[in-house]
Amino acid sequence: MKRLATVLALAGSCVLAISALPSPALALETFEAKMQASEAASRAAFDAFETFGFKRPKPGQYVWRSVPDSAGPERVVISLSEQLTYLYRGDTLVAMAATSTGIEGRNTPSGIFSVLDKRPFYRSKKYDNAPMPWMQRIDQYGIALHGGYNPGYPASHGCIRLPVAFAKKLYAVTGIGTPVYIGA
C-alpha cells in the first residue's frame, strides 16, 4: 500500500510539473495588437534602409548579416504592404526577405503571434498535400511561415511564403515562442 501511495504521489507531481510548463502565447488579433504590429513593420522598413541602404530583395531573394546571439532574442516582423519579412535580434535588424502572403479573400491575419510548432518538412492538410519546407506554424488554423514559391506579391492561401534558403536559416535561429509581428 505504501508503494502504491508513493507511485501515485510521484505520478501526481509529474502531472503538476507538466501542467506548470509555460505554453507558447496564442495569437493577439486585437486592434491594439494590429496597430503594434503595423508600427513594427513601419519601423522595420526604416531599419532596413539604415542597415542595407537602397538594397531591397527581389522575389526569391534575401539579405542576411551576421549579428551575435548576445544582441538579444529573435523576433520576426512581416510587412503585408511591402511583402517583406524581417528578422531581429534584440533591436538589431539581422535579415530581410521578399515574401508572399495571402491573396484577397485568404488574407494573412495581422497581429502579434508566436511560433507554436516547427517542422523541417511538412505537407499541407488543406491544400492538396502542398509541400511546406521549414514550416513554423503561428496559429491554430494552419497559418505558417515556410519556404515556397515567392513572386513578391500576395499569392498564398494565407501563409507567409519565404525564399527556401531564407526559410531554412530562419528556422535554425527561431524557437517555439518566438514572437511574429504581422502588420500592414
Side-chain angles (χ1 to χ4, degrees):
M1 189 64 145
K2 189 174 184 180
R3 196 176 299 174
L4 178 61
T6 304
V7 169
L8 289 174
L10 287 174
S13 66
C14 288
V15 169
L16 288 174
I18 290 170
S19 64
L21 291 174
S23 61
L26 294 178
L28 290 174
E29 295 182 73
T30 63
F31 175 77
E32 292 80 12
K34 290 178 181 192
M35 292 305 297
Q36 189 176 351
S38 290
E39 289 170 15
S42 294
R43 177 67 197 189
F46 179 77
D47 291 343
F49 179 74
E50 282 193 329
T51 304
F52 300 114
F54 288 104
K55 185 170 186 159
R56 180 188 163 106
K58 293 184 170 109
Q61 295 181 338
Y62 68 94
V63 290
W64 191 291
R65 68 188 184 128
S66 181
V67 173
D69 292 345
S70 61
E74 287 79 11
R75 79 177 180 283
V76 178
V77 177
I78 298 159
S79 171
L80 297 172
S81 60
E82 297 291 322
Q83 293 293 288
L84 291 170
T85 295
Y86 305 90
L87 171 66
Y88 282 85
R89 278 203 175 118
D91 292 328
T92 306
L93 182 62
V94 175
M96 171 176 57
T99 301
S100 183
T101 59
I103 60 172
E104 188 68 37
R106 295 189 183 217
N107 305 62
T108 300
S110 60
I112 302 171
F113 303 82
S114 61
V115 175
L116 301 174
D117 184 30
K118 293 177 64 163
R119 309 247 176 113
F121 188 80
Y122 187 77
R123 288 200 174 269
S124 172
K125 291 184 170 123
K126 291 182 181 178
Y127 301 108
D128 301 321
N129 213 26
M132 298 168 68
W134 312 110
M135 185 278 296
Q136 298 187 69
R137 189 172 52 81
I138 61 168
D139 80 356
Q140 66 271 30
Y141 304 109
I143 302 295
L145 290 81
H146 63 82
Y149 174 61
N150 184 254
Y153 55 83
S156 80
H157 291 103
C159 283
I160 298 95
R161 290 191 203 153
L162 305 165
V164 175
F166 178 83
K168 182 178 181 179
K169 288 181 90 163
L170 184 67
Y171 185 93
V173 300
T174 57
I176 301 296
T178 298
V180 179
Y181 293 75
I182 304 175

